[in-house]
Amino acid sequence: MSIVLPLDEEQRDALQELLNISMGQAANSLAQLIETKIDISIPKISAVTPTQLYSLLFETKDAFYTRQSFLGDVHGEVMSVLSQAGLSEVATLMDYDEPLSKEDIQEIILELCNILAGACLAGLSEQLELTTNLNMPTLFLPDKANFDELQWQHSLVMEVQFVIAISSFSMRVVFCLDDESLARMKDTLDELLA
Amino acid sequence: MFEQLVGKLPVGIGIVDEDFNVVYLNDFFLDRLPHNMRSCYKETPVVELFQGQGKFLKRRLKSVFVLQHPSFSYWEQRPHIFPFKSSRPITGEETQMYQNMEILPIKDKTTGQRLACIFLQDVTAQASYFRAQQKLSEALKKEHEAQRKLIRKLDTAQSQLIQAEKMASTGQLAAGIAHEINNPIGFVNANLNTLEQYASHLLAICDGVKTQLEHFTDDLKEQISVLFESNHYDLLKDDITELITESTDGLTRVKDIVENLKNFSLETTEGTQVVDICAVCHQLITLISAQYSSPQYKLQCEHEKVEVMGNPGPLKQALMNVMINAAQAIEEKGFIKLTVIDAAQSVTIKILDSGCGIPVKNLKRVFEPFFTTKPEGQGQGLGLSVAYTAIEQHQGKISISSKEAKGTVVEITIPKQSTAAASCCEESEVENSQAT
Ligand SMILES: Nc1ncnc2c1ncn2[C@@H]1O[C@H](COP(=O)(O)OP(=O)(O)O)[C@@H](O)[C@H]1O
Ligand SMILES: [Mg+2]
């Protein structure tokens, strides 16, 4: 990606470290809840244009998408991409009875996103000593045209992938911050580094 | 003051501890409890107090306590978590309350005890509005689909009408013309035969004179030779037979066309009888393969015999025309496959060829009388229109589909017991005879 990251190297390393910790915690929470081992990828930090964000998120085939906004000291949105494969195993782990109705599936998706995004955000906020409140998640059917028309030029994204060990299920969570929040986070990182 | 405020809020607020026992309920919940429970609800498990979605509620509470993170639930996926009646018990249409729920983790400031706060929102009004809208849009969609179907039906009906009309008028015209032409052709043919004989006699006389020339006087010899030369006897002799042969050939072609035109009106005398389609197919293959030897012919019949009631003449003619087209479509190598399918009420004959196929733009026109793409002398463009009329006469249907450079398949279905007498009343049957 040709865009320079709005973070310097030190800030970036610090954020990476914080992300590693908080995402690990998130995975642990979920693992505890559904009593299964969960693997996570090393979180990735990058800067993207709206079009790049679109391809980052939505060019996955056979997936469900959700979005969820958060407010507080920093503002932004979490978007999640969930694989359709393996969802029924996860549903069993979450104590749902087969066969799953359409509503069950929607509910599971929303709940999974809420849990994971919530855990990630909570972890990150705690590390950065910021308060954030997550709003309720909604299902999302993205339209490429809408993305091309977005107002912002580029955004910092933090991306992490969760894989549930016993099934083929996987899920990606992508955090996007608005400009003001990015500035605030940079300040916070600097304070931590000082 | 806060206590009062929370109590009166128009949303449900309930607090439970880590064992899911109720710590607090505001009026929204209390109003909906059985009267005798209102004073002694504390320390009761929430799932006992509000029965119904206990399993779900417990799951969500557990998640909130474990993750220390809010949980959400929406009416779209789970409309009735708490077994409450709609807020309008007298006038409302919904009998059960639609609910959105949010559970938040909280902490008792003084004891540090972990608690969960349940917010319950009555969204019955939104939900019923939303559902009414959905019903409406579904109804609209259905109506729209029905309309589109109708339009499609109208379209086909119209094109079939046009087709039928064309066929009918051409059929009448053809029969009339054929009849009119038949007479003159008769005597022209007879005369031409006589003329041929006369010509050969005349030539014999002349040739006789020529061979006897030696025996004449020089004067006479001279005169006769001049006569032969001035009338270009040698040329004339060569040409006259050729002219007559050509005329006879031409006349044969005219006769063929007239015969075809007569077939087109399909006035036959044979009447309805049992026709064995398999036998007809065998015959036709023998007949056609004699003339068109390059294609490979295959016949697939389910049974030894597949019989229908019909007019053998027109039926054979129809199959023959279609098969000739198939044979003509194959330039060098290729195959023609006939499949006879015996259904309970009808018989379907598929004639498939691996020939040149028909371009899309022509496909619509192949059943039109006089539509042909073949060089002059090879096609009159009547084959398929004759077939069409014949099959229609049997209350059957004929359809053609083709892919350019791949091949063509013609499918003919005829009822086993055609109700020829009732044909005038069965307009709907005609509608099925697709000409595309
Ligand atoms: N099996 C076929 N393969 C390719 N073209 C065909 C076939 N059957 C019919 N056609 C096309 O339809 C036209 C009309 O056929 P028809 O009515 O039998 O008249 P004709 O054979 O005398 O041309 C043909 O000229 C030809 O272009
Ligand atoms: Mg033909």
Side-chain angles (χ1 to χ4, degrees):
Chain A
M1 275 172 218
S2 55
I3 304 151
V4 261
L5 212 56
L7 300 174
D8 64 33
E9 205 159 312
E10 276 194 351
Q11 289 169 332
R12 193 200 138 98
D13 287 346
L15 182 61
Q16 181 76 57
E17 193 50 42
L18 293 180
L19 278 176
N20 292 352
I21 298 169
S22 53
M23 300 302 154
Q25 282 171 352
N28 277 341
S29 308
L30 183 65
Q32 197 183 340
L33 192 71
I34 63 177
E35 291 159 8
T36 317
K37 192 168 172 299
I38 290 175
D39 299 320
I40 54 166
S41 68
I42 294 174
K44 262 195 285 198
I45 306 170
S46 55
V48 293
T49 62
T51 317
Q52 284 169 334
L53 179 63
Y54 181 87
S55 31
L56 177 72
L57 284 169
F58 305 118
E59 278 168 10
T60 327
K61 287 261 163 60
D62 301 323
F64 299 112
Y65 310 103
T66 65
R67 61 177 164 187
Q68 206 168 355
S69 68
F70 54 87
L71 301 172
D73 289 337
V74 287
H75 295 187
E77 276 187 67
V78 201
M79 280 162 269
S80 309
V81 183
L82 296 88
S83 68
Q84 288 180 10
L87 194 70
S88 58
E89 282 108 316
V90 180
T92 316
L93 291 174
M94 288 173 70
D95 237 2
Y96 277 83
D97 297 325
E98 300 268 7
L100 297 174
S101 68
K102 191 174 131 239
E103 285 76 23
D104 285 340
I105 292 175
Q106 290 176 352
E107 195 172 77
I108 293 164
I109 296 164
L110 290 172
E111 179 65 1
L112 274 173
C113 295
N114 187 49
I115 292 172
L116 274 185
C120 295
L121 187 69
L124 193 61
S125 310
E126 199 183 319
Q127 301 284 329
L128 287 167
E129 292 172 20
L130 299 168
T131 49
T132 49
N133 286 307
L134 200 56
N135 291 319
M136 53 195 212
T138 50
L139 294 171
F140 185 33
L141 257 188
D143 185 347
K144 178 114 171 27
N146 290 351
F147 265 76
D148 291 339
E149 278 166 21
L150 287 181
Q151 288 302 313
W152 47 271
Q153 303 298 312
H154 57 257
S155 155
L156 180 79
V157 300
M158 294 167 270
E159 181 192 352
V160 65
Q161 178 149 6
F162 294 81
V163 179
I164 292 185
I166 61 144
S167 84
S168 50
F169 180 78
S170 74
M171 171 169 162
R172 275 194 304 148
V173 181
V174 175
F175 283 84
C176 301
L177 291 179
D178 67 10
D179 279 347
E180 204 184 311
S181 306
L182 188 59
R184 178 151 315 130
M185 196 177 72
K186 283 204 288 191
D187 290 346
T188 317
L189 284 171
D190 285 341
E191 276 169 36
L192 282 178
L193 287 164
Chain B
M1 195 185 72
F2 271 119
E3 186 99 10
Q4 266 183 36
L5 184 73
V6 173
K8 297 292 176 208
L9 274 180
V11 292
I13 297 178
I15 296 175
V16 300
D17 63 19
E18 275 185 283
D19 301 319
F20 309 153
N21 291 333
V22 176
V23 176
Y24 170 80
L25 292 176
N26 75 345
D27 290 356
F28 185 96
F29 277 115
L30 288 180
D31 289 347
R32 290 167 172 87
L33 270 183
H35 204 78
N36 57 340
M37 301 284 292
R38 292 181 68 160
S39 49
C40 58
Y41 66 87
K42 286 195 182 168
E43 300 303 316
T44 322
V46 66
V47 294
E48 240 170 69
L49 217 47
F50 302 107
Q51 280 165 7
Q53 299 275 319
K55 188 177 162 198
F56 171 76
L57 198 59
K58 267 186 174 160
R59 201 162 61 208
R60 284 302 171 93
L61 283 168
K62 181 182 168 198
S63 145
V64 169
F65 280 116
V66 171
L67 302 177
Q68 285 300 298
H69 171 66
S71 173
F72 305 89
S73 160
Y74 311 104
W75 70 267
E76 284 104 319
Q77 285 94 39
R78 201 170 287 271
H80 319 293
I81 301 169
F82 291 90
F84 296 159
K85 290 272 177 285
S86 145
S87 50
R88 275 181 252 111
I90 313 298
T91 61
E93 284 148 19
E94 307 291 347
T95 49
Q96 267 189 298
M97 183 199 289
Y98 285 79
Q99 300 151 349
N100 279 351
M101 183 183 74
E102 186 172 343
I103 307 178
L104 293 177
I106 53 173
K107 224 176 230 172
D108 189 313
K109 281 249 171 65
T110 48
T111 62
Q113 189 192 8
R114 284 182 166 193
L115 299 166
C117 176
I118 302 170
F119 284 103
L120 194 72
Q121 241 185 312
D122 177 359
V123 290
T124 312
Q126 277 135 280
S128 57
Y129 177 74
F130 187 82
R131 282 156 55 103
Q133 288 285 312
Q134 240 178 4
K135 260 188 207 150
L136 200 70
S137 92
E138 248 161 54
L140 269 172
K141 222 160 106 186
K142 257 193 204 144
E143 207 167 296
H144 185 73
E145 187 52 38
Q147 260 174 13
R148 273 192 16 200
K149 258 191 203 149
L150 215 65
I151 291 172
R152 265 205 302 273
K153 237 181 166 168
L154 259 167
D155 267 356
T156 18
Q158 194 192 20
S159 62
Q160 277 160 5
L161 248 160
I162 294 173
Q163 184 72 18
E165 190 135 326
K166 234 188 246 168
M167 292 297 175
S169 52
T170 320
Q172 278 173 3
L173 195 72
I177 293 175
H179 189 75
E180 289 303 317
I181 294 179
N182 237 357
N183 266 333
I185 284 180
F187 64 77
V188 169
N189 195 34
N191 290 357
L192 203 59
N193 280 338
T194 322
L195 207 59
E196 192 181 9
Q197 278 172 30
Y198 288 177
S200 72
H201 287 317
L202 273 175
L203 289 179
I205 293 171
C206 292
D207 285 344
V209 171
K210 242 189 165 177
T211 46
Q212 297 299 316
L213 218 52
E214 298 308 316
H215 309 294
F216 292 129
T217 61
D218 281 353
D219 191 26
L220 212 53
K221 211 173 173 178
E222 179 68 28
Q223 273 184 29
I224 291 174
S225 292
V226 169
L227 212 56
F228 270 116
E229 249 161 65
S230 64
N231 283 300
H232 309 289
Y233 176 70
D234 286 339
L235 200 82
L236 191 143
K237 185 190 166 193
D238 274 353
D239 238 19
I240 202 162
T241 7
E242 211 171 294
L243 283 177
I244 289 176
T245 327
E246 254 175 42
S247 300
T248 319
D249 284 354
L251 200 62
T252 314
R253 246 169 72 192
V254 174
K255 262 167 45 189
D256 274 354
I257 295 175
V258 171
E259 200 50 43
N260 259 323
L261 280 173
K262 268 188 3 205
N263 277 333
F264 189 70
S265 63
L266 297 169
E267 283 162 1
T268 45
T269 47
E270 283 166 298
T272 307
Q273 50 186 264
V274 177
V275 184
D276 178 5
I277 297 291
C278 286
V280 170
C281 288
H282 272 300
Q283 280 169 20
L284 285 177
I285 288 180
T286 323
L287 208 66
I288 289 170
S289 60
Q291 200 182 346
Y292 300 94
S293 51
S294 44
Q296 253 194 305
Y297 294 83
K298 291 177 213 163
L299 174 61
Q300 190 181 327
C301 282
E302 273 181 338
H303 308 293
E304 286 273 304
K305 260 186 183 179
V306 178
E307 291 180 332
V308 299
M309 287 299 288
N311 257 336
L315 271 186
K316 276 185 206 170
Q317 187 74 50
L319 288 172
M320 168 103 126
N321 291 358
V322 173
M323 274 186 70
I324 287 178
N325 283 347
Q328 286 174 341
I330 290 167
E331 193 100 36
E332 275 175 22
K333 266 191 194 150
F335 64 86
I336 295 173
K337 189 176 168 200
L338 268 78
T339 318
V340 181
I341 302 158
D342 188 359
Q345 300 294 327
S346 62
V347 176
T348 299
I349 307 128
K350 281 192 197 170
I351 302 101
L352 182 141
D353 71 69
S354 63
C356 58
I358 306 169
V360 180
K361 68 171 173 20
N362 288 349
L363 204 56
K364 272 193 287 223
R365 302 191 53 200
V366 293
F367 288 99
E368 268 176 33
F370 303 111
F371 175 81
T372 180
T373 57
K374 289 167 193 169
E376 204 183 325
Q378 266 198 47
Q380 298 155 16
L382 286 173
L384 285 180
S385 24
V386 168
Y388 180 91
T389 331
I391 300 306
E392 191 181 65
Q393 207 180 53
H394 287 82
Q395 281 99 51
K397 45 182 185 173
I398 177 166
S399 64
I400 189 162
S401 50
S402 183
K403 194 155 190 186
E404 233 183 317
K406 286 266 191 265
T408 305
V409 52
V410 177
E411 204 175 312
I412 296 174
T413 303
I414 31 184
K416 283 187 179 167
Q417 207 70 44
S418 90
T419 44
S423 67
C424 57
C425 322
E426 285 191 45
E427 285 302 308
S428 62
E429 279 288 333
V430 178
E431 191 194 64
N432 285 335
S433 40
Q434 287 180 353
T436 43

